Amino acid sequence: MLRIHFTAEDLSRTRLAERPDPLWEITASLHRLQSKEGRWAHAAWYRDACDAIATQKLGAVVRTLLFPLFPRASYFPDFLTPGEAGQGLRSGLGAILDTPPARVRHEIGLLAQVRKVPSEMYRLADRDTREDLVTALRRYHEAVIAPYDDHMQARIDAEGARQGRALLHGGAEVLLGGLGPAMRWKAPVLEVDYVGGIDRDLRLDGRGLLLIPSYFCWQKPVSFADPDLPPVLLYPLAPADRASRPGPCEAPLSALLGRTRAAVLLAVTYGATNSEIARAVSVSTANASHHTTVLRDAGLIASHRHANTVLHTLTPLGASLLRLPDQDRRVTSQESQG
């Protein structure tokens, strides 16, 4: 178990990442490829990934370089998931290139204590070899992660809306208490079921905690092994319902062409409850609930229960329908109000 100790200052500095971290998602996805457990939660992605790896001729690189470097184990090198990746893949890969050679050798040595690593792995201390690694990570991301970028962002937007409401109405402690079954808030400590059965304490000491919701992380959260690094906690998003997974919409789109329903979809853009939709569209709460049911069955919105309310957010398909040219969007908005 990982026990994260908070002070009052840490609670005020706790924050939620607003976009997928590409290097953490690469890491978690490689763990999914290495395990039979967890694949069911990403079955469609797993099939697509295997096809893309074969098509892009990445199989040898994944097996001989990425799997040994990102093992599904109690440890993998921290330098592979630098904080700069929160600014985008290019920044993250640049930080990997700029990692001091002594740190690379040290962390590869730590990896060797939990897993057998090829002797050539220590060559990653040389910048030229890390450039090859960066190229491999970029190709892997383009092949198997980038096609899911919109879906991951939509899921994280929904998580941000849900946790933002928790923070607004109950503060950081309510947010920390609702992260999922693998995490339990027992003030002032967040107890986390950790991969590999590791038992340790992490004291934030005023640095705060960056929470990173992850699409590919499964069941148990992950953090840096080095307690001196800026504290982060990668945690799995709650499983999506059928309507929020990528795939063809089963309900006829004609059910969504009415003016009121179009207005409801627009009202859900940044997340909304039934009562908020009812006020925005000037319908009863029961009527709003009916329209959100139709939109959810059509795969355009996802619904997330929080306490006594249900928060509705756009799915990737719903978001794509709202990505219209400005003129078309104005027409749609005017028609929805007519």
Side-chain angles (χ1 to χ4, degrees):
M1 177 185 295
L2 173 65
R3 291 172 295 275
I4 305 177
H5 298 260
F6 287 75
T7 65
E9 188 176 8
D10 293 314
L11 288 173
S12 69
R13 292 184 174 180
T14 294
R15 58 211 187 278
L16 188 76
E18 62 183 16
R19 60 178 62 89
D21 184 302
L23 289 176
W24 275 113
E25 295 296 354
I26 285 174
T27 300
S29 71
L30 286 166
H31 293 167
R32 297 288 70 76
L33 288 175
Q34 295 176 70
S35 65
K36 293 182 179 179
E37 295 179 346
R39 287 182 187 172
W40 62 268
H42 305 90
W45 169 83
Y46 178 75
R47 291 191 296 270
D48 292 343
C50 289
D51 289 343
I53 288 171
T55 301
Q56 299 296 323
K57 295 181 171 51
L58 286 169
V61 169
V62 170
R63 287 191 306 272
T64 63
L65 176 60
L66 300 186
F67 280 175
L69 196 54
F70 295 84
R72 187 172 175 268
S74 58
Y75 177 81
F76 57 87
D78 287 332
F79 79 86
L80 297 171
T81 51
E84 289 85 348
Q87 303 169 25
L89 181 64
R90 177 179 296 181
S91 296
L93 295 178
I96 290 177
L97 279 177
D98 292 338
T99 305
R103 179 184 171 187
V104 175
R105 283 191 292 269
H106 173 68
E107 293 187 2
I108 296 299
L110 293 177
L111 177 61
Q113 295 177 19
V114 299
R115 276 291 179 93
K116 184 177 180 181
V117 299
S119 59
E120 58 266 23
M121 196 71 71
Y122 287 93
R123 293 176 55 199
L124 286 170
D126 298 329
R127 185 181 177 91
D128 288 347
T129 305
R130 287 203 305 284
E131 287 180 349
D132 293 337
L133 170 62
V134 162
T135 298
L137 291 172
R138 183 181 294 110
R139 291 184 61 204
Y140 176 86
H141 184 273
E142 291 174 353
V144 305
I145 303 295
Y148 275 67
D149 275 349
D150 286 345
H151 183 64
M152 291 191 297
Q153 186 63 61
R155 293 287 311 281
I156 288 179
D157 286 344
E159 178 71 358
R162 182 175 74 88
Q163 298 295 6
R165 287 169 179 268
L167 183 65
L168 177 65
H169 296 297
E173 295 195 60
V174 172
L175 185 156
L176 292 169
L179 291 175
M183 292 164 281
R184 296 163 298 280
W185 175 246
K186 297 182 180 180
V189 177
L190 181 65
E191 295 182 347
V192 180
D193 295 335
Y194 204 73
V195 63
I198 287 178
D199 188 80
R200 66 184 179 98
D201 292 270
L202 173 60
R203 299 187 184 277
L204 300 179
D205 295 329
R207 294 175 294 171
L209 179 68
L210 175 61
L211 296 164
I212 306 176
S214 169
Y215 181 75
F216 288 108
C217 183
W218 188 68
Q219 287 194 329
K220 294 184 178 181
V222 184
S223 185
F224 287 130
D226 186 348
D228 293 329
L229 290 172
V232 303
L233 185 67
L234 186 84
Y235 72 94
L237 288 163
D241 58 24
R242 174 190 60 81
S244 66
R245 291 197 295 266
C249 177
E250 297 177 4
L253 289 177
S254 60
L256 306 175
L257 296 179
R259 292 192 300 270
T260 301
R261 206 158 287 151
V264 169
L265 187 64
L266 287 168
V268 176
T269 299
Y270 299 106
T273 64
N274 282 331
S275 59
E276 290 169 340
I277 293 170
R279 289 193 296 270
V281 185
S282 299
V283 297
S284 68
T285 302
N287 200 350
S289 178
H290 168 71
H291 288 302
T292 56
T293 297
V294 173
L295 292 170
R296 183 173 59 251
D297 290 344
L300 299 180
I301 68 172
S303 302
H304 313 266
R305 180 167 294 280
H306 176 67
N308 296 323
T309 62
V310 176
L311 178 68
H312 307 290
T313 58
L314 294 175
T315 66
L317 179 59
S320 69
L321 289 182
L322 295 182
R323 293 194 191 108
L324 302 172
D326 290 342
Q327 181 63 37
D328 291 344
R329 184 172 295 179
R330 287 195 295 270
V331 171
T332 301
S333 179
Q334 292 165 0
E335 290 177 348
S336 70
Q337 298 170 9

